[in-house]
Amino acid sequence: MELFQVFIELAQSTVRVSTPLILAALAGLFTERAGVFDIGLEGKMLGAAFAAGAVAYITQSVMMGLLAAILISVLLSLVHGYASITQRGNQIVSGVAINFVVAGATVILGQAWFKQGGRTPALSADGRFGTIKLPFADSLRDVPILGQVYSDLLSGHSPLTYLAFLMVPASWWILYRTRFGLRLRAVGENPGAVDTAGISVIWLRYRAVICCGILCGVAGAYLSLAANAGFTKGMTAGKGYIALAALIFAKWRPKNILFACLLFGFLDAFAIRYQGYAFPLIGKVPVQLMQALPYILTVILLAGFIGKAIPPKAGGVPYVKER
């Protein structure tokens, strides 16, 4: 039973670590399915996390922090949309610029406003998302195996965690069972045909980047209002890039995104749990190697196990209307 308890604890950590990855990867799914490549997921998450931590501290309201995170993330998405859709600029350059600007701006503003080295002050209970205890979680805890799975693994997570997992089937339904989703995917494959049908390619792509901004805002809010008690410098720690890798690894399909993010989340949770642990035959692994493990394995998985991933045909290509 001790081994099973270790499994439960590692699975708990995997779910918590995977939550922002799932949200960010789904955010990227909407834009890339519409033909807009978005490497700025990292910057939008970081900006949202800072906005959430700052506003939640000032207002002592977790919902105001969440709304601020979504607002800032959507504004950053609209900046990316204006540069890459309206002005037909290079989408990679636009996304990288957002990442750099936000990384510096959050530290500067945090230091100017709160004088804590770029951090926001620690949040009280009212400024953070609590955990949700599922019905009968306490009474079923003593039931062997299933009780532990229900009480310790399925129960006791943040509302944003449950929202992230619910967004996977919701995203599938939106993309594959609604008119909006059909048009969105068509814009990413053949924008000329969509335009010929009298549908605005530019407006559809803007709606996609707005959806991306909303999901990245929730992901950033999770980092500062649920996983932590405030914002810290660089707290996304490359999660936006890992989410982008998970999106490619999943071949732009919502169901595969869930499993890819859980895999990357497991690698991160494993590295966190076993830092400084002495493994049999190997001994103690350097902390730096364990911290780099998720990123190393991400590269290995993408390079050797993904197979041929075919992105949307119009992805990364600005649309120029034929006259």
Side-chain angles (χ1 to χ4, degrees):
M1 290 302 291
E2 183 178 350
L3 183 62
F4 181 72
Q5 184 62 33
V6 170
F7 165 77
I8 291 292
E9 292 174 359
L10 193 57
Q12 283 179 328
S13 299
T14 299
V15 169
R16 288 194 294 268
V17 173
S18 300
T19 297
L21 299 181
I22 294 170
L23 290 165
L26 291 175
L29 175 67
F30 278 93
T31 55
E32 297 203 14
R33 278 292 190 176
V36 180
F37 189 77
D38 194 353
I39 203 172
L41 300 175
E42 177 83 2
K44 286 192 278 290
M45 288 174 63
L46 187 62
F50 175 76
V55 173
Y57 171 75
I58 293 170
T59 64
Q60 292 298 306
S61 169
V62 67
M63 294 308 299
M64 291 300 295
L66 176 61
L67 290 176
I70 293 174
L71 176 61
I72 291 298
S73 183
V74 168
L75 289 175
L76 291 171
S77 288
L78 290 175
V79 170
H80 179 61
Y82 178 76
S84 59
I85 300 172
T86 303
Q87 298 299 321
R88 305 188 187 97
N90 187 294
Q91 297 175 7
I92 302 295
V93 173
S94 173
V96 171
I98 288 174
N99 290 341
F100 284 150
V101 169
V102 173
T106 51
V107 176
I108 293 172
L109 293 176
Q111 175 62 21
W113 292 347
F114 303 109
K115 312 296 184 185
Q116 295 190 10
R119 299 181 51 172
T120 60
L123 297 173
S124 64
D126 293 335
R128 297 186 62 198
F129 282 103
T131 57
I132 295 178
K133 184 175 290 186
L134 297 180
F136 311 111
D138 291 333
S139 57
L140 294 175
R141 189 180 301 276
D142 295 331
V143 177
I145 300 180
L146 292 180
Q148 281 185 284
V149 170
Y150 180 78
S151 301
D152 296 334
L153 179 57
L154 300 182
S155 179
H157 295 287
S158 162
L160 299 185
T161 298
Y162 296 108
L163 175 63
F165 281 84
L166 288 174
M167 280 305 302
V168 175
S171 298
W172 175 87
W173 183 80
I174 291 170
L175 287 174
Y176 293 97
R177 289 293 184 269
T178 67
R179 180 182 300 178
F180 168 69
L182 174 63
R183 291 175 175 177
L184 195 72
R185 289 184 291 120
V187 164
E189 296 293 338
N190 192 343
V194 175
D195 192 30
T196 302
I199 301 169
S200 173
V201 173
I202 291 177
W203 173 228
L204 269 172
R205 287 185 168 179
Y206 265 107
R207 290 162 73 183
V209 299
I210 290 172
C211 291
C212 173
I214 293 171
L215 290 171
C216 279
V218 178
Y222 173 83
L223 291 175
S224 56
L225 303 183
N228 299 277
F231 174 83
T232 57
K233 175 184 175 182
M235 70 185 310
T236 48
K239 288 181 175 60
Y241 298 111
I242 294 180
L244 189 60
L247 176 62
I248 299 171
F249 185 71
K251 299 182 179 180
W252 297 273
R253 294 186 177 91
K255 180 184 70 174
N256 295 349
I257 284 175
L258 173 62
F259 294 117
C261 290
L262 286 174
L263 172 61
F264 292 137
F266 170 78
L267 297 175
D268 202 0
F270 182 86
I272 293 171
R273 180 179 177 86
Y274 289 102
Q275 285 184 17
Y277 182 79
F279 292 93
L281 303 179
I282 300 177
K284 186 177 292 186
V285 178
V287 174
Q288 294 82 357
L289 179 59
M290 292 299 290
Q291 290 175 339
L293 182 64
Y295 307 97
I296 295 172
L297 293 181
T298 297
V299 174
I300 293 174
L301 289 172
L302 287 176
F305 297 95
I306 186 176
K308 188 175 182 181
I310 302 175
K313 293 179 181 178
V317 180
Y319 177 65
V320 179
K321 187 173 182 178
E322 296 182 2
R323 297 184 182 275

